[in-house]
Amino acid sequence: MMPLSRLQGIPSHRNASCVGRTAAIFCPPSRVPLHGGASLDRLLSVQLSAPTCTVAVKSSRRRAATMAARAAAADEGFAVDDNGNGSVVAPGAAEGRRVVIIGGGWAGFGAAKHLSEQGYDVTLLEASPNPGGLSSGWRTASGRAVEAGMKGFWYQYKNTFKLLEELQLPSWPLTDFTTSGFWNPRGLVTEAPVFSKKPRLPTLVGQFVYTFPLYWALPLEDRLTMLPFLATLADYVSSEERFEQYDKMSAYELFRRCGVSTRCYNEFLRPTLLVGLFAPPEDLSAAAVLETLYFYALAHQNDFDVCWPRGSIAELIFQPMVEKIRMAGGRVLGNRLVTGLTLDDATGEVSSVEAVDRSTGEIASYPTDAAVFAVGISGMQKLVSANPALAKQPDFRSIMELRSLDVIATRIWFDRRVATRYPANVLSGFETTAGATFFNLNDLQDEYRNEPGTVISADFYHANSLLPLSDQEIVDRVVSHVTTCEPGFKGAKVTDSIVLRFPKAVTHFSPGSYQHRPFQATTIPNVFMAGDWVKGVPHGANGLSQERAYVTGLSAANLVISRLGGNGQPAQILDVEPDEPHIAAARAAVRGLREVVAAAGLRSPFL
């Protein structure tokens, strides 16, 4: 069960960027003093600039909105330039330390928080109207505000857990680690226990020992056919060349070559990957599957343990992050869309960005010293298509070769309480091409604990064939699937619901995609990338991961600090636990064997 944090356009998320968050605009950063106890929220719609870099408002299509913004700026103590172009001038932006973060979520907010706390003039720009908050448009028929999808926090999310401590929240925002159920239309397949509550054993041994006595619909002889596949965990990272070979192969082909049984593939591996990487194994890179399974489940006994937010991620975590950014002098602006970039002919760096304020329709030009793109694949592709300055760069053009996946998120209220065996559940075989999960929010989130009826969050991944269905048809499917797993829902009536569709919202790690994924440092010297889809990140978090997105935000902040002269402390990034001794020894042995095999001109036993 991977977090929908990859929902890359959900205004409340990580990084990730979906169609709704395809871009943002640049605004020169400056320290913004508040006068008379004024709220920073009132300044979000005000266009700001340093004395040396006035923001020129080029459009007068919505003059009333412009005049209101200028009046608000004057009320807050900002200078209003009366040169006729409608500019608002902010005091004191330090040239050479202006940083713009494009996109919010785990990557964007992470980069903005660290840089602002290190004294940089940071502006974060987002296409959504309320960065870090719940979208006002996501409401049920009865008016309930909702957040799309459920986001899991796994055992190795060290940097994310450290962030939550730094935010000094009034209460811990996550549940304890929970069990999970795996289902197919015939019933329960197995469950995932909480491994960290058991004595720790060497990895793979611990997972086998503690799941062996549990109920398994899948016979032991079928489970054992995964052993040859597990051996490839020592081979795929033996060299960069070997990794790229695995990347060009589909996970299905790797399973076939390793002799995984048809039943093990259909009932366990395929559904696990449909909800883990949001695509079937035939459409997934074998390398991406290996690194994801290793990070989430196989590197250490406890790695598959997962906990869940006790409420909305936006309200529990992102809003406090935005407050920290603002308290440190940074700004977070919504409703911004990039319309153009300007590169300096002498340096090859981005010198200014043209953008539109979606709330007023006004176009403005903003200078910048460094920029971080923290949007997802579909958002970057739109930016590259619309901006010749990016399209001329080979690494940005290569992004056009990447693909994204469709997701549907639902939330359903029932007229009575129904107990479920597990708070989190994975569904396999209920849809021909889509994976699914459902969560009992009465058990997981504080606001629903005393709800008179049951509240279910259910999501579909690789959902392209479901997108054309009506909301009612999708709700009916959810009710049918949940009732198959938990017969207590039979006869329960739906009292409220919402269906949210996110086309091309999630990173697709397709075979051969690694070569097209960008590094964090780009061919534009002062532009950096962040998000769980970038490559070359020296960290063990992999796959569709909130932790990886947040880590890349911190790493991008460190690249900015280095680029702009090294002022400030780089972010401390905690890596995952190191390989256990027997795994490290196996990987060393495979590297040695590979060299011997290559020298003898023989074929690899794995590929």
Side-chain angles (χ1 to χ4, degrees):
M1 287 161 292
M2 244 2 113
L4 274 180
S5 60
R6 273 278 116 254
L7 280 186
Q8 298 155 349
I10 299 181
S12 58
H13 292 120
R14 37 206 183 69
N15 174 70
S17 76
C18 181
V19 270
R21 185 194 310 167
T22 57
I25 69 169
F26 291 50
C27 179
S30 65
R31 297 296 177 199
V32 184
L34 297 184
H35 301 277
S39 167
L40 270 170
D41 290 337
R42 292 190 61 194
L43 306 180
L44 294 186
S45 62
V46 179
Q47 306 301 321
L48 306 175
S49 74
T52 57
C53 49
T54 301
V55 177
V57 179
K58 299 180 179 179
S59 171
S60 59
R61 287 178 293 170
R62 299 186 184 178
R63 187 169 184 81
T66 302
M67 297 306 294
R70 298 178 71 203
D75 288 343
E76 304 295 359
F78 289 88
V80 180
D81 187 356
D82 288 323
N83 60 9
N85 64 8
S87 302
V88 176
V89 180
E95 189 169 356
R97 293 171 63 82
R98 301 165 300 185
V99 183
V100 175
I101 316 294
I102 306 97
W106 291 102
F109 292 142
K113 177 178 178 293
H114 183 75
L115 288 169
S116 61
E117 290 173 344
Q118 296 305 309
Y120 287 84
D121 290 304
V122 174
T123 302
L124 185 146
L125 305 117
E126 247 276 5
S128 65
N130 183 22
L134 286 175
S135 169
S136 60
W138 291 349
R139 293 184 179 274
T140 67
S142 64
R144 292 184 173 100
V146 300
E147 181 176 72
M150 282 291 287
K151 299 89 187 170
F153 293 75
W154 269 258
Y155 189 84
Q156 290 288 345
Y157 277 25
K158 291 183 178 180
N159 295 280
T160 305
F161 296 144
K162 180 172 176 260
L163 167 68
L164 299 184
E165 293 173 352
E166 292 174 355
L167 292 176
Q168 298 180 323
L169 303 170
S171 61
W172 189 248
L174 306 177
T175 68
D176 292 334
F177 293 120
T178 70
T179 57
S180 305
F182 291 74
W183 305 83
N184 66 26
R186 294 184 296 277
L188 184 68
V189 175
T190 190
E191 68 178 70
V194 179
F195 290 102
S196 56
K197 292 183 179 179
K198 302 179 182 298
R200 186 154 181 175
L201 299 174
T203 189
L204 303 183
V205 176
Q207 291 92 318
F208 179 79
V209 167
Y210 295 130
T211 59
F212 182 79
L214 300 176
Y215 173 78
W216 277 86
L218 187 66
L220 178 61
E221 56 266 28
D222 287 291
R223 284 179 272 157
L224 292 176
T225 63
M226 288 188 288
L227 289 176
F229 163 71
L230 296 178
T232 63
L233 290 168
D235 183 54
Y236 84 102
V237 289
S238 58
S239 71
E240 184 69 18
E241 177 187 9
R242 184 50 54 93
F243 182 91
E244 291 183 4
Q245 287 179 310
Y246 277 94
D247 179 67
K248 293 175 181 177
M249 177 193 301
S250 74
Y252 171 80
E253 177 63 16
L254 181 61
F255 293 146
R256 188 189 65 80
R257 291 190 186 190
C258 291
V260 171
S261 74
T262 300
R263 186 169 180 182
C264 180
Y265 173 81
N266 287 330
E267 295 186 14
F268 185 68
L269 289 172
R270 190 174 192 275
T272 298
L273 291 175
L274 271 169
V275 301
L277 284 173
F278 292 12
E282 58 269 24
D283 290 337
L284 289 172
S285 153
V289 166
L290 285 165
E291 64 181 5
T292 300
L293 290 177
Y294 190 68
F295 169 58
Y296 276 107
L298 302 175
H300 312 90
Q301 172 189 296
N302 299 341
D303 286 351
F304 197 64
D305 284 359
V306 60
C307 54
W308 307 95
R310 291 168 50 194
S312 156
I313 291 288
E315 295 174 338
L316 292 177
I317 300 175
F318 285 164
Q319 286 184 5
M321 288 181 76
V322 168
E323 291 171 8
K324 289 284 188 183
I325 294 167
R326 291 173 177 163
M327 288 174 62
R331 287 170 291 159
V332 179
L333 307 177
N335 267 329
R336 300 323 205 253
L337 289 174
V338 170
T339 59
L341 302 173
T342 300
L343 266 61
D344 185 283
D345 292 335
T347 64
E349 297 184 354
V350 168
S351 58
S352 66
V353 177
E354 291 68 52
V356 63
D357 182 336
R358 297 199 305 173
S359 64
T360 65
E362 294 160 355
I363 299 174
S365 179
Y366 302 87
T368 186
D369 299 308
V372 176
F373 283 110
V375 297
I377 290 174
S378 60
M380 279 307 305
Q381 288 174 336
K382 292 183 179 183
L383 283 169
V384 172
S385 298
N387 293 282
L390 296 179
K392 290 178 181 178
Q393 308 299 321
D395 52 341
F396 285 99
R397 284 202 310 275
S398 193
I399 293 173
M400 303 303 293
E401 299 290 338
L402 298 173
R403 293 188 286 168
S404 302
L405 296 164
D406 304 329
V407 177
I408 293 175
T410 72
R411 189 159 296 186
I412 301 174
W413 282 256
F414 291 88
D415 63 346
R416 56 186 169 85
R417 291 293 287 264
V418 179
T420 59
R421 274 175 277 185
Y422 308 98
N425 300 270
V426 176
L427 306 183
S428 65
F430 288 84
E431 301 290 343
T432 304
T433 60
T437 54
F438 78 86
F439 306 86
N440 186 337
L441 298 188
N442 304 90
D443 293 337
L444 296 174
Q445 298 199 339
D446 295 344
E447 66 178 297
Y448 299 117
R449 292 197 187 280
N450 297 319
E451 189 85 12
T454 305
V455 184
I456 293 293
S457 175
D459 307 316
F460 294 97
Y461 318 103
H462 196 256
N464 45 300
S465 66
L466 302 178
L467 287 178
L469 297 179
S470 69
D471 287 1
Q472 187 59 54
E473 287 173 319
I474 292 172
V475 169
D476 290 344
R477 292 175 103 88
V478 173
V479 173
S480 174
H481 300 342
V482 171
T483 303
T484 297
C485 302
E486 298 287 358
F489 281 92
K490 187 175 183 179
K493 292 182 171 52
V494 174
T495 61
D496 202 1
S497 65
I498 189 170
V499 175
L500 302 171
R501 295 169 173 79
F502 301 99
K504 301 187 183 305
V506 182
T507 303
H508 184 188
F509 295 103
S510 58
S513 61
Y514 183 79
Q515 62 183 315
H516 302 298
R517 289 160 58 190
F519 290 101
Q520 289 206 266
T522 72
T523 51
I524 301 176
N526 66 336
V527 173
F528 306 97
M529 302 291 295
D532 63 1
W533 59 288
V534 302
K535 66 182 178 183
V537 181
H539 193 273
N542 287 300
L544 296 173
S545 162
Q546 295 175 109
E547 174 78 354
R548 183 175 175 86
Y550 178 57
V551 164
T552 63
L554 298 180
S555 179
N558 290 346
L559 290 170
V560 168
I561 291 173
S562 177
R563 178 71 188 175
L564 298 185
N567 294 317
Q569 294 296 316
Q572 179 188 24
I573 300 175
L574 306 176
D575 205 349
V576 298
E577 292 182 44
D579 290 340
E580 294 183 11
H582 62 295
I583 298 296
R587 287 184 162 179
V590 166
R591 282 193 295 270
L593 176 62
R594 187 178 62 81
E595 292 172 359
V596 171
V597 168
L602 301 175
R603 289 178 56 87
S604 165
F606 301 105
L607 293 178

